[in-house]
């Protein structure tokens, strides 16, 4: 009668920490695109990166689409994009980033109903 439940890992076990610097090429925003933010109802996440410029001192470099959780121990989840960039600019390099890969099931993809003009209630 009892069923074996598949135990899922908690997302916090997938958090990746790294320390990155980018040399004399301006601010972090000119090397790594920070997208999303509270004004869009999203967590801040990483966009395009100039991988030939970024230097990873500790950990692994984050990937495109990784959700940005903390910058040098300062939580940025729930901040607007502008405020997230202000937090990043506040610190000297190298900066420590905590990121996590988004769950592919949670990503909002266009629903087939929306493509033909109907509202989506997924």
């Amino acid at each position: 009668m009892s069923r074996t439940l598949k135990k899922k890992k908690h997302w916090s076990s997938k958090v990746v920490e790294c320390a990155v610097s980018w040399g004399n090429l301006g601010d972090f925003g000119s090397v790594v695109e920070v997208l999303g933010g509270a004004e869009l109802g999203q967590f801040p996440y990483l966009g395009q990166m100039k991988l030939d410029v970024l230097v990873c001192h500790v950990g692994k470099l984050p990937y495109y689409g990784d959700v940005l959780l903390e910058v040098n121990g300062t939580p940025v989840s729930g901040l607007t994009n502008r405020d997230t960039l202000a937090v990043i600019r506040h610190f000297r390099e190298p900066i420590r980033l905590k990121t996590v890969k988004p769950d592919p099931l949670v990503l909002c993809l266009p629903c087939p109903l929306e493509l033909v003009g109907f509202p989506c209630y997924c």
Side-chain angles (χ1 to χ4, degrees), residues 14-69:
K14 299 175 184 175
V15 173
V16 176
E17 201 168 343
C18 68
V20 296
S21 62
W22 53 94
N24 296 327
L25 293 173
D27 63 345
F28 184 74
S30 64
V31 178
V32 176
E33 185 179 30
V34 179
L35 303 169
E39 70 273 19
L40 301 172
Q42 301 173 338
F43 288 103
Y45 64 95
L46 302 177
Q48 297 291 332
M49 294 179 264
K50 296 180 181 176
L51 297 176
D52 55 336
V53 177
L54 279 178
V55 177
C56 184
H57 301 285
V58 176
K60 285 189 340 187
L61 275 175
Y63 294 99
Y64 176 89
D66 283 358
V67 176
L68 188 58
L69 300 173

Side-chain angles (χ1 to χ4, degrees), residues 82-102:
R82 186 176 180 175
D83 290 341
T84 301
L85 291 171
V87 168
I88 292 169
R89 276 189 225 107
H90 177 74
F91 297 108
R92 296 182 191 196
E93 51 181 301
I95 60 172
R96 287 177 292 118
L97 302 175
K98 273 192 183 177
T99 58
V100 68
K101 288 206 173 309

